[in-house]
Amino acid sequence: MSQYNLETHDPQYIAYCGWDRPLSTFFLTVELREAPEAEFDVVVFSVGPIPINTTHTGSVLTVDLLQQLAEPWATISPELSKRLKADWRSPYYQPGLLK
């Protein structure tokens, strides 16, 4: 499994995405950075294994779709897009080898 932090359009959000090899899907999670009086992180949007606050259900099988889903909150750079595609193609994710 890979996971990368994304640059968000608004600093009140934290976003991260990656490839979940065991579940064969890309994932994206957007959280509220500081939720007042929240005991846990507040998930604003999530797709992949456990979709939250989205009409998209099921697996996210392409980086293009992942980019479309991330767009309201964050940007997936061209460099990160290449890394995600490499993660998808790799039989085993090996941190540090896909630079």
Side-chain angles (χ1 to χ4, degrees):
M1 183 167 143
S2 65
Q3 181 173 312
Y4 304 97
N5 292 325
L6 299 174
E7 185 175 330
T8 58
H9 305 312
D10 185 329
Q12 73 174 332
Y13 298 112
I14 298 169
Y16 50 92
C17 69
W19 171 248
D20 189 323
R21 176 151 302 285
L23 296 175
S24 298
T25 185
F26 288 103
F27 65 89
L28 166 69
T29 302
V30 179
E31 299 174 356
L32 197 53
R33 186 176 294 276
E34 295 180 20
E37 302 180 23
E39 187 174 340
F40 301 100
D41 294 333
V42 175
V43 176
V44 176
F45 180 84
S46 179
V47 292
I50 304 172
I52 298 172
N53 294 340
T54 179
T55 56
H56 180 85
T57 57
S59 297
V60 179
L61 300 178
T62 67
V63 173
D64 290 340
L65 177 57
L66 188 68
Q67 288 174 316
Q68 290 173 15
L69 294 168
E71 181 52 37
W73 297 277
T75 301
I76 296 175
S77 69
E79 179 183 292
L80 179 54
S81 176
K82 288 178 187 176
R83 292 185 79 180
L84 288 164
K85 289 174 184 176
D87 294 347
W88 174 78
R89 285 189 302 268
S90 174
Y92 302 99
Y93 173 67
Q94 299 172 351
L97 296 180
L98 300 173
K99 291 186 177 180

